[in-house]
Amino acid sequence: MRRIAVTGGSGQINYNLLFRIASGEMLGEEQPIALHLLELPEALGALEGVVMELQDCAYPLLREVVIGSDPMKVFSGVDLAILVGATPRGKGMERSDLLKENAKIFVAQGKALAKVADPEVKVFVVGNPCNTNCLIAFHHAGGLNPRHFFAMTRLDENRAKAQLAAKAGVLVREVTQVTIWGNHSATQVPDFFNARIKGKPAIEVIKDRHYLEGEFMTTVQQRGSAVIAARGKSSAASAANAILDWIKDLYTPTPANEWFSSAIYSTGNSYGIADDLFFSFPCRSKGDGTCEIVAGLPWDEFLRKKIEKTEAELIQERDEVLRG
Ligand code: NAX
């Protein structure tokens, strides 16, 4: 049985995610599952309602549900941890306050994972600012493998693919090799330069460089804010969908000539990005829940400048939280 911890159990992403995990969509239709759901004490009542609904789905694969607000108990024995719960940015809160508030959560959760989870646990961080939260969790999870920590940029990849497909008038699955470089923030770099459409370089199919460097980039970078402006709430169904895509990517051998985006530990990377960051790279997996960086993708001058900017932002976030 796979024991899967998910935090922020009664939040809006989880209302879209938990049911799909329990149905077998994430780890396959043969894999029995136990869900270990962590919430703040004040949200445990609402979480009980979610648990009732999970029960009422009578999912054959869902064998056990554990809930609680103490990570030292809830994370016991888990082999996957999806860290979604985080403190949202409140009124008047500076970005540095947000970083520090969230740091407290991810320090505690990193320590708990190292103490009570399976020593091979894979940790997937979604709660924002996800790259730096992931770094903090890893730094406090002494003994766990840095290659087992990931932060999510898969939603950004899906957004970029959908935009390119719409512009080129092709099916989304005909857009491949799309990388998100860097931070899951407005400085992220959706890479149209190495992307392919029906196997051809995207820049040969969409010849409008002005669109690619302008509207395409900003639409993807600002998509989260656009959803909030339209819906009054942040992306939830599409975020849950991306979590499933991303975890499936890591547990499925990546097809030839393909890759997916994930923020992973940067130390030792071949692109000259600073060490000790969770930076989004093009990744390939053998299907064992780990991945390797796809080496040698060329950067043109435009891309290089944007990548330097997102790297600088991540260094600043790290230094504010870990060394500030
Ligand atoms: P919600 O506010 O609906 O839910 C968050 C839940 O987490 C709440 O129920 C809250 O009680 C719980 N929580 C807070 N602190 C906790 C803690 N210490 N332990 C356990 N639970 C805790 O937010 P939702 O829309 O579900 O989004 C969750 C997070 O995902 C946010 O930080 C959001 O910014 C982030 N996102 C990240 C994305 C990505 O691509 N990486 C995209 C979607 C989303 O914006």
Side-chain angles (χ1 to χ4, degrees), residues 235-261:
S235 311
S238 57
N241 184 65
I243 294 170
L244 293 177
D245 283 347
W246 177 43
I247 296 179
K248 281 191 283 185
D249 283 340
L250 279 149
Y251 283 96
T252 313
T254 311
N257 298 323
E258 248 301 13
W259 60 74
F260 57 91
S261 301

Side-chain angles (χ1 to χ4, degrees), residues 8 10-13 39-40 84-86 105 109 126-128 152 184 239:
S10 65
Q12 53 153 5
I13 291 180
E39 251 303 350
L40 295 176
V84 180
I105 296 174
Q109 294 184 358
V126 177
N128 278 322
M152 184 164 92
H184 168 70

Side-chain angles (χ1 to χ4, degrees), residues 15-32:
Y15 198 65
N16 291 275
L17 177 68
L18 296 175
F19 298 87
R20 293 178 66 181
I21 295 177
S23 74
E25 199 182 324
M26 187 172 86
L27 295 179
E29 288 178 8
E30 303 295 325
Q31 180 60 59

Side-chain angles (χ1 to χ4, degrees), residues 71-72 75 107-117 140:
M72 290 293 284
F75 289 167
V107 167
Q109 294 184 358
K111 284 184 179 164
L113 285 167
K115 277 225 164 85
V116 302
H140 291 86

Side-chain angles (χ1 to χ4, degrees), residues 6-15 37-43 68-69 71 83-88 102 104-106 109 125-131 133 151-156 159 184 224 228 231 233-236 238-240 242-243 246:
V6 190
T7 70
S10 65
Q12 53 153 5
I13 291 180
N14 273 309
Y15 198 65
L37 307 178
L38 185 77
E39 251 303 350
L40 295 176
E42 58 271 30
S69 54
L83 308 183
V84 180
T87 301
N102 278 294
K104 292 181 208 154
I105 296 174
F106 288 86
Q109 294 184 358
V125 181
V126 177
N128 278 322
C130 65
N131 301 55
N133 287 342
M152 184 164 92
T153 51
R154 190 63 169 78
L155 176 56
D156 309 300
R159 288 167 171 166
H184 168 70
I228 294 175
R231 215 172 77 86
K233 291 179 188 165
S234 57
S235 311
S238 57
I243 294 170
W246 177 43

Side-chain angles (χ1 to χ4, degrees), residues 181-217:
W181 300 94
N183 201 1
H184 168 70
S185 76
T187 67
Q188 66 175 266
V189 185
D191 179 353
F192 56 82
F193 188 69
N194 290 292
R196 298 207 158 229
I197 296 175
K198 288 188 161 180
K200 284 193 193 155
I203 49 176
E204 284 175 18
V205 178
I206 302 172
K207 295 201 171 75
D208 183 353
R209 189 78 189 198
H210 183 70
Y211 161 80
L212 290 169
E213 290 185 3
E215 190 184 332
F216 165 70
M217 297 281 290

